[in-house]
Amino acid sequence: EPEVTQTPSHQVTQMGQEVILRCVPISNHLYFYWYRQILGQKVEFLVSFYNNEISEKSEIFDDQFSVERPDGSNFTLKIRSTKLEDSAMYFCASSDHQGVSYNEQFFGPGTRLTVL
Amino acid sequence: KNEVEQSPQNLTAQEGEFITINCSYSVGISALHWLQQHPGGGIVSLFMLSSGKKKHGRLIATINIQEKHSSLHITASHPRDSAVYICAALNYGGATNKLIFGTGTLLAVQP
């Protein structure tokens, strides 16, 4: 069964460093999302992406964040200069707005980011 | 005020019990997701529904659009059902269908 994959599963970085979190969405999906979950808190929407551009972003998604679909299969989230409060689990999701799975979002296993 | 509220926040049940988790939302939605999150963090979609009722194995989800309320039921609960159950509203207000998450219900099913 097709699934969303994410790498790495765990990333440890020093404050101020750049990190890139990678996701491979389900191959025929066209809509891509990043969410994050700070430990003990609810999952929060960061950004959605369609047709090679950002469709919507939250207040959390400031200038330190960027997303890219560099090669038609990967979908990346870059944090330019990490802060302690960026420590969280980051989830990628994808969806297909047609057919049986209309609108349903499928999640990757997450990347746990720890900023020291 | 949270746009998506769940109750209870914590639930302990004995194996075999019938379990109900409730979700109320205040935003306009196109659909509602029920998701399961296990320790270690991965999120699995259980249901997406926009009306009526869906059933998958021992899980049943219902939604009442007029009352802005959904329930997730687990029949004949088992210790392996222990997880966090999250409802998330699929919000049609923006350019895309982002999910607005509830805080989750931590379910522990004891043998």
Side-chain angles (χ1 to χ4, degrees), chain A residues 1 5 9 15 17 19 21 23-25 29 35 37 47 49 51 62 65 73 82 91 93 97 99 104 111 114 116:
Chain A
E1 185 168 329
T5 60
S9 56
M15 190 170 57
Q17 294 296 303
V19 294
L21 310 184
C23 168
V24 178
H29 285 185
Y35 296 89
Q37 185 179 33
V47 66
F49 191 86
N51 200 27
D62 62 22
F65 291 86
S73 62
T82 50
F91 293 101
H97 282 215
E104 184 171 4
T111 292
T114 303
L116 303 176

Side-chain angles (χ1 to χ4, degrees), chain B residues 36-107:
Chain B
Q36 182 190 56
Q37 186 174 33
H38 277 283
I43 294 175
V44 175
S45 178
L46 298 173
F47 294 103
M48 189 186 71
L49 65 166
S50 55
S51 65
K53 176 176 164 178
K54 283 192 176 180
K55 185 175 189 294
H56 181 68
R58 294 179 296 106
L59 301 178
I60 304 166
T62 63
I63 190 167
N64 184 319
I65 298 291
Q66 286 72 32
E67 294 185 5
K68 295 191 173 182
H69 181 269
S70 177
S71 294
L72 176 70
H73 306 285
I74 306 175
T75 62
S77 59
H78 191 276
R80 65 174 174 267
D81 297 326
S82 298
V84 176
Y85 291 85
I86 305 170
C87 72
L90 194 60
N91 181 248
Y92 64 67
T96 56
N97 291 311
K98 68 183 181 189
L99 287 173
I100 301 173
F101 287 76
T103 51
T105 294
L106 176 60
L107 171 65

Side-chain angles (χ1 to χ4, degrees), chain B residues 7-13 17-21 83 105-109:
Chain B
S7 63
Q9 285 191 302
N10 294 281
L11 182 56
T12 301
E17 284 186 10
F18 180 84
I19 288 162
T20 296
I21 300 169
T105 294
L106 176 60
L107 171 65
V109 181

Side-chain angles (χ1 to χ4, degrees), chain A residues 55-69:
Chain A
S55 303
E56 189 173 355
K57 59 184 181 179
S58 71
E59 292 174 356
I60 304 167
F61 195 89
D62 62 22
D63 292 344
Q64 294 298 316
F65 291 86
S66 62
V67 289
E68 196 178 34
R69 189 153 161 80

Side-chain angles (χ1 to χ4, degrees), chain A residues 16 18 26 29 33 36 42 51 57-58 65 89 97-98 108:
Chain A
E18 175 184 285
I26 293 173
H29 285 185
Y33 310 84
R36 80 168 187 192
K42 65 181 180 180
N51 200 27
K57 59 184 181 179
S58 71
F65 291 86
M89 183 76 106
H97 282 215
Q98 57 186 341

